[in-house]
Amino acid sequence: MHGFDALNPPFDRLTHAETEGLRGAVDIGYFAPGSVIVERGGSSEFLYVIIKGAVAEKVGEETQAMLGAKDTFDSEAVVHGSASASFVAEEETLCYLLPRASILELVQKNQAFAAFFYSELSRRLDAFAEHRNPSGLESVLRLRVKEARCQEAHFIDGIRTIEEAGHAMRERNSITLFVRDEGRIGIVTWTDLGEAAILKRLPLETPVREISHFDVVSVKPDDFLFEALIAMTRHKKRRIAVRSGNVYSGVLQDIDILELFAGNSQLIPGRIDRAKTVADLVPCASDIQAQVQRLHEQGIKVEVIAEITSDLNRNLISKVFELTVPPSIKENGCLFVMGSEARAEQTVRTDQDNGLLLAAPVPEADLLKFRQAFTESLEACGFPPCPGNVMVRNPVWSQPLDSFLRQLKSWIITGGGDSAMNLGIFCDSVAIAGQSDLLLRAKTTFMEMMRGEKAHLAHFANFIDQFASSDIGAFANLMVSVGARSDAVHIKKVGTFPIVHGARTLAIEKGIFETRTVDRINALAGTRIFNAEFAQNLISALHVFMELRLRSQLKARRLGNMEGESIVHMNELSTADRDILRNAIRVVREFREIVRHRFNLGYF
Amino acid sequence: MIGQMLLRLFYQASIGDQSYRFLFKKPPPGEAVSIDCETTGLNIAKDDIITIAAVRIKGDRILTSEAFEVAVRPEARIAPDSMKIHHLREADVEQEKPIRKILRDFLYFVGSRPLVGYYLEFDIKMLDKHILPFIQIGLPNNRIEVSELYYERKYGNAPPGTAIDLRFTSILDDLGLPNLGQHNALNDALMTAEMYVILRDMRARGVRVSRERTRPMHDMAMGA
């Protein structure tokens, strides 16, 4: 049959013969506005793919989502014989009708296609993730030499000694030097020095030109990396010179190419460690960010990317602390990060949330200087300032423990938006450097204060509905109107925030000290609040939102405009992704109900 | 309408091949057939059919799984202009079935169901060129013109002087239908069938096609 779009996931998973077979079985159905296409709890003889129109997914009177062209429903009704919701035409709607028998047959035959029909979100998600195509080695090799991280060229005169060359390498943090010798240029490496001194037992006073290689192989900055790789292989060199005209500008190593492909997360800590000034850290910070994109392109799961990124960021923050902290604060203080950074759920940097606790008062001048220096140094490394001013720079977030505890208490008592925000952000905190027991004491006291009074916790929990109206609204608008910007879903408001906030509220209630949302959810799965299966779905939903957010952040960064970094446009998603997002939102809704019910939030 | 009835009576009386009397039976309720022909050009006397496509409509279903599509050997050469429109070269259609056999299949496929089309008159005249010598009558089926349905739904209550646009693509746009690629007989027949089921239902419910340039979204009220 003509017109049926087989490129639309999940149908893109079918072979050509399977597609043709399906096409031959497809009819088209028309549904007038108001007609019920699939009844909740019922089975369905067809899988419907919308050609035009709008279909509301309804439970009772409540519209859960609005489906539009290319959306598919309802896999549960077709495969499991029981629709999770009713599907009602909202406009004049045309759908392809894919017969149940054909779908079931394809589910049997084709595993990748079948993944779309798994009932648990977590399984479906895993199956889909496996089929993402990483853009691999080839795209890397088509980069140019100047796009790789070449080492800067350092020069030494040929008459200098082996010993001097060794020191020069150490000082410049480089294992390769260019050797100037009577008009010619050679190369000497750390290995050459070692060989000369150890294996050949040459005296350390030997001029370096005697152990240098003058058959320098070079590439131009505009050459492709694959050309560099070919040159290395042909000449059996692990390092080649980069040369523009008559000037040697750098050294390209095989590892630099590998790094572009495989990522360099293992190398960044070393660079951070070697940094002597904040300025040295700036390239490390941008490496961490470049790494995020690279890992994502390679199809690494978002939770793994977040984990790697968070480890690296903490390394970096701790180094900034080391570089800026005066001895008085170092002895008495505890530096901690908060928010998504502390939960290890941040990938692309959005802002810095950090604080300092002191065991005892320190000289005022030291503190003033450090507050400024630390925050500004992080900013220089590319951590944007926190709009809510939750930073060491803010005296509220850098003070002695006992006065900070009084501060926490006053937030708990006053309640309200800002207080709840501050408490929420503090609830997710992790010590990075210094006296970590200070933070532990603050957190323990905080937990006790919160748990002591049911009303405090309920007020705090109530925050979960902060953006509650935005999901249905956004969804309804978005799919029906084909128009401009109305198909936007605010990922953070609709998805991430309710999960994170719900999990932290329940964690406080149960006295769970974990910081990461996933750990909290897993710990909660052991309680009677929800079971392990729901926990798994909730975790998957969180990862769906993180993945979508990451994609839109990377896109926003490419476009150089971070304004819409948390917005996902539904019509830019594939059908399968839309379907997964819909399911994730359904899990969030269920979770919100659990939290509301637990804290009797109906009364607020 | 009366003209169509009289023509049917006349055809019924003058049919040559009695085995085609089924064309005059009462059509199965709620069924229709959307048809389209690709031709070598737009001159009925000189040009001829290249492909015939037909899709049955049964209630609110469009039975694409059993669509009819056949390429015909043209008796006139393809006019170069027309080739640009539908991308069929003479070589593509040369090997096809003789017209008699195709017409028999077509008539059995269509039966006595009403015909649905866009500027249907042209397609029927083209088909009748072959059907008349074959069974001594033209297609007797009732005819449903989608551009008329559309005109009535969109411009039926328009103030005098309203600019009228009945182009195929305008109808697609207005009804929010994806363009499957025009000038392929089956795609055209299919899109016409889609227009028909929507317009028919709008008429039944008394809903009009808006003449506003951008359609108002009726659920903005649910906004964020």
Side-chain angles (χ1 to χ4, degrees):
Chain A
M1 186 299 356
H2 287 236
F4 178 70
D5 181 9
L7 296 178
N8 186 22
F11 305 104
D12 61 341
R13 306 287 150 85
L14 299 177
T15 65
H16 181 70
E18 286 169 344
T19 308
E20 289 308 303
L22 188 57
R23 279 192 168 144
V26 172
D27 282 340
I28 291 174
Y30 171 75
F31 303 94
S35 45
V36 178
I37 308 174
V38 175
E39 193 92 50
R40 186 179 183 202
S43 72
S44 168
E45 277 315 299
F46 300 106
L47 184 69
Y48 298 86
V49 180
I50 300 175
I51 298 170
K52 81 130 231 157
V55 173
E57 183 182 335
K58 286 187 164 178
V59 173
E61 283 305 295
E62 195 192 347
T63 297
Q64 309 246 324
M66 196 64 79
L67 316 190
K70 293 191 174 186
D71 280 330
T72 302
F73 62 91
D74 175 63
S75 50
E76 309 244 331
V78 171
V79 178
H80 307 284
S82 169
S84 52
S86 292
F87 293 84
V88 183
E90 286 282 298
E91 294 182 341
E92 291 84 9
T93 299
L94 283 172
C95 297
Y96 290 116
L97 315 178
L98 283 49
R100 181 160 183 259
S102 313
I103 294 298
L104 292 183
E105 193 189 323
L106 291 171
V107 164
Q108 291 278 318
K109 278 201 295 199
N110 185 323
Q111 268 201 323
F113 181 72
F116 185 75
F117 299 93
Y118 290 153
S119 55
E120 310 96 65
L121 182 62
S122 51
R123 256 182 90 195
R124 207 190 298 189
L125 211 63
D126 287 347
F128 261 89
E130 276 165 28
H131 287 272
R132 243 178 67 200
N133 263 341
S135 65
L137 188 56
E138 206 192 304
S139 62
V140 166
L141 292 182
R142 295 215 166 266
L143 293 178
R144 310 216 177 241
V145 168
K146 63 186 172 199
E147 290 170 87
R149 163 186 277 276
C150 301
Q151 288 181 4
E152 214 182 308
H154 298 290
F155 292 87
I156 190 168
D157 285 327
I159 49 166
R160 298 284 169 197
T161 65
I162 293 179
E163 189 175 353
E164 284 172 317
H167 284 293
M169 284 182 191
R170 177 49 52 89
E171 273 160 32
R172 277 148 198 173
N173 209 350
S174 162
I175 52 169
T176 315
L177 295 175
F178 285 99
V179 180
R180 284 198 197 93
D181 187 65
E182 294 168 353
R184 40 175 204 164
I185 294 280
I187 279 187
V188 69
T189 68
W190 186 253
T191 318
D192 296 330
L193 300 185
E195 246 173 49
I198 300 165
L199 299 179
K200 296 185 188 156
R201 291 176 168 249
L202 293 179
L204 294 181
E205 294 75 35
T206 314
V208 73
R209 68 172 166 222
E210 290 183 18
I211 61 161
S212 301
H213 310 272
F214 291 91
D215 53 340
V216 178
V217 178
S218 64
V219 286
K220 295 189 287 296
D222 279 325
D223 286 345
F224 286 112
L225 280 180
F226 70 80
E227 293 175 293
L229 200 61
I230 289 169
M232 286 180 188
T233 318
R234 184 171 301 149
H235 300 284
K236 298 195 177 65
K237 301 255 184 208
R238 294 191 52 203
R239 296 172 194 84
I240 51 179
V242 181
R243 176 180 185 166
S244 27
N246 282 328
V247 184
Y248 285 97
S249 55
V251 177
L252 180 72
Q253 294 193 71
D254 53 0
I255 190 114
D256 300 328
I257 298 179
L258 187 68
E259 181 179 310
L260 279 175
F261 174 59
N264 52 7
S265 44
Q266 78 287 5
L267 301 176
I268 296 176
R271 284 189 198 133
I272 292 175
D273 205 39
R274 286 193 297 272
K276 294 195 176 71
T277 62
V278 171
D280 293 343
L281 287 173
V282 175
C284 302
S286 66
D287 278 352
I288 296 175
Q289 283 302 275
Q291 180 79 354
V292 169
Q293 173 145 15
R294 208 167 293 142
L295 293 171
H296 184 254
E297 279 165 3
Q298 284 163 27
I300 308 286
K301 287 185 184 172
V302 68
E303 60 268 32
V304 178
I305 301 179
E307 176 115 32
I308 294 174
T309 309
S310 141
D311 283 349
L312 294 174
N313 277 339
R314 285 176 196 188
N315 250 314
L316 185 88
I317 294 169
S318 141
K319 184 75 180 187
V320 169
F321 180 72
E322 199 183 295
L323 291 174
T324 50
V325 73
S328 60
I329 293 178
K330 191 172 186 178
E331 250 166 62
N332 280 303
C334 169
L335 176 77
F336 57 99
V337 293
M338 292 172 279
S340 59
E341 184 64 66
R343 296 191 310 268
E345 285 155 20
Q346 201 178 93
T347 46
V348 172
R349 266 173 222 140
T350 46
D351 57 5
Q352 47 168 309
D353 297 322
N354 45 54
L356 177 77
L357 283 174
L358 295 165
V362 296
E364 192 62 20
D366 281 4
L367 190 55
L368 283 176
K369 198 170 156 227
F370 171 72
R371 280 175 180 157
Q372 216 55 34
F374 179 79
T375 303
E376 277 165 16
S377 301
L378 271 189
E379 201 179 335
C381 288
F383 292 79
C386 169
N389 206 14
V390 182
M391 294 184 287
V392 166
R393 181 162 67 195
N394 181 352
V396 173
W397 291 103
S398 59
Q399 52 177 316
L401 177 64
D402 31 344
S403 61
F404 184 69
L405 290 180
R406 283 196 295 277
Q407 175 68 70
L408 283 177
K409 182 147 203 169
S410 96
W411 280 335
I412 291 172
I413 291 164
T414 47
D418 283 351
S419 301
M421 189 201 82
N422 285 331
L423 292 173
I425 207 162
F426 177 71
C427 184
D428 307 341
S429 54
V430 165
I432 292 289
Q435 319 295 320
S436 60
D437 63 302
L438 287 176
L439 182 68
L440 186 63
R441 274 158 63 197
K443 273 185 102 168
T444 312
T445 315
F446 163 76
M447 293 278 252
E448 280 164 5
M449 289 192 284
M450 288 293 279
R451 297 175 70 197
E453 192 73 65
K454 194 96 186 171
H456 292 333
L457 204 51
H459 271 289
F460 187 63
N462 192 35
F463 227 47
I464 198 170
D465 281 336
Q466 194 186 12
F467 308 114
S469 62
S470 50
D471 67 348
I472 307 281
F475 245 118
N477 267 346
L478 87 99
M479 310 283 328
V480 177
S481 55
V482 201
R485 286 285 141 212
S486 46
D487 68 332
V489 173
H490 199 294
I491 289 297
K492 192 174 166 186
K493 291 181 181 173
V494 168
T496 331
F497 179 78
I499 298 180
V500 166
H501 191 69
R504 79 178 148 219
T505 311
L506 293 171
I508 296 172
E509 193 206 345
K510 292 286 166 192
I512 295 166
F513 267 79
E514 308 288 352
T515 308
R516 298 174 181 207
T517 305
V518 170
D519 295 340
R520 284 172 174 164
I521 293 172
N522 279 327
L524 287 165
T527 68
R528 280 207 214 130
I529 300 174
F530 47 73
N531 61 19
E533 192 193 330
F534 183 79
Q536 208 46 51
N537 282 339
L538 193 57
I539 289 169
S540 294
L542 176 67
H543 291 158
V544 170
F545 295 120
M546 283 168 67
E547 163 73 25
L548 290 175
R549 174 113 188 258
L550 175 56
R551 277 195 230 164
S552 95
Q553 284 175 323
L554 290 176
K555 188 177 153 206
R557 234 176 34 157
R558 246 188 341 266
L559 299 175
N561 175 12
M562 291 308 282
E563 216 163 87
E565 55 95 13
S566 189
I567 304 282
V568 162
H569 292 284
M570 293 295 278
N571 58 17
E572 290 168 10
L573 296 181
S574 73
T575 313
D577 284 340
R578 274 209 296 257
D579 187 75
I580 282 174
L581 177 55
R582 247 158 56 206
N583 275 288
I585 289 177
R586 193 186 294 159
V587 173
V588 170
R589 193 174 299 115
E590 216 177 308
F591 182 52
R592 213 191 244 144
E593 279 312 306
I594 291 173
V595 174
R596 291 174 60 89
H597 183 250
R598 184 141 195 100
F599 297 101
N600 293 319
L601 296 187
Y603 300 117
F604 283 87
Chain B
M1 265 327 220
I2 293 182
Q4 255 191 48
M5 261 168 62
L6 287 175
L7 187 66
R8 263 176 80 85
L9 282 173
F10 170 72
Y11 279 158
Q12 201 164 356
S14 50
I15 187 166
D17 185 338
Q18 291 299 317
S19 64
Y20 287 93
R21 291 203 69 86
F22 69 83
L23 292 175
F24 296 97
K25 274 200 195 155
K26 206 168 169 302
E31 293 197 23
V33 179
S34 168
I35 64 162
D36 187 72
C37 299
E38 287 314 313
T39 58
T40 54
L42 297 175
N43 185 327
I44 292 166
K46 280 199 266 168
D47 288 309
D48 212 340
I49 299 171
I50 304 168
T51 30
I52 307 174
V55 182
R56 268 193 211 139
I57 300 156
K58 193 173 180 176
D60 281 336
R61 287 282 169 79
I62 301 170
L63 305 181
T64 45
S65 57
E66 44 195 71
F68 179 93
E69 185 186 29
V70 185
V72 183
R73 186 193 171 106
E75 281 155 29
R77 297 191 64 79
I78 297 180
D81 271 358
S82 156
M83 202 169 79
K84 258 185 256 155
I85 297 179
H86 46 60
H87 306 288
L88 270 178
R89 289 170 306 125
E90 223 169 314
D92 298 329
V93 286
E94 252 167 20
Q95 303 301 319
E96 299 303 331
K97 300 182 187 177
I99 187 83
R100 285 280 160 112
K101 160 101 176 45
I102 294 167
L103 286 175
R104 204 186 64 210
D105 292 349
F106 176 74
L107 289 172
Y108 274 97
F109 184 87
V110 169
S112 57
R113 297 170 184 84
L115 300 179
V116 176
Y118 174 79
Y119 287 125
L120 187 60
E121 200 185 333
F122 173 78
D123 297 284
I124 289 183
K125 276 188 179 149
M126 277 292 185
L127 286 163
D128 278 352
K129 259 181 26 175
H130 298 284
I131 292 176
L132 265 169
F134 181 32
I135 57 171
Q136 285 76 51
I137 60 166
L139 282 166
N141 308 55
N142 281 329
R143 297 162 193 191
I144 300 164
E145 174 57 53
V146 289
S147 64
E148 262 170 36
L149 278 179
Y150 172 76
Y151 174 86
E152 192 271 320
R153 280 297 97 197
K154 179 155 181 175
Y155 301 102
N157 62 348
T162 306
I164 289 174
D165 176 2
L166 300 180
R167 282 172 302 170
F168 195 78
T169 47
S170 307
I171 306 180
L172 282 180
D173 284 352
D174 256 346
L175 299 181
L177 290 168
N179 193 334
L180 304 173
Q182 257 181 283
H183 307 300
N184 160 302
L186 185 55
N187 279 349
D188 282 355
L190 176 54
M191 289 187 281
T192 307
E194 293 179 341
M195 292 171 180
Y196 168 64
V197 291
I198 295 175
L199 289 167
R200 183 183 58 178
D201 176 62
M202 291 178 88
R203 190 177 58 190
R205 288 183 298 117
V207 177
R208 292 205 162 271
V209 176
S210 167
R211 287 195 304 276
E212 297 289 315
R213 208 64 216 106
T214 47
R215 287 187 301 156
M217 297 304 162
H218 50 65
D219 50 345
M220 276 309 185
M222 290 178 79

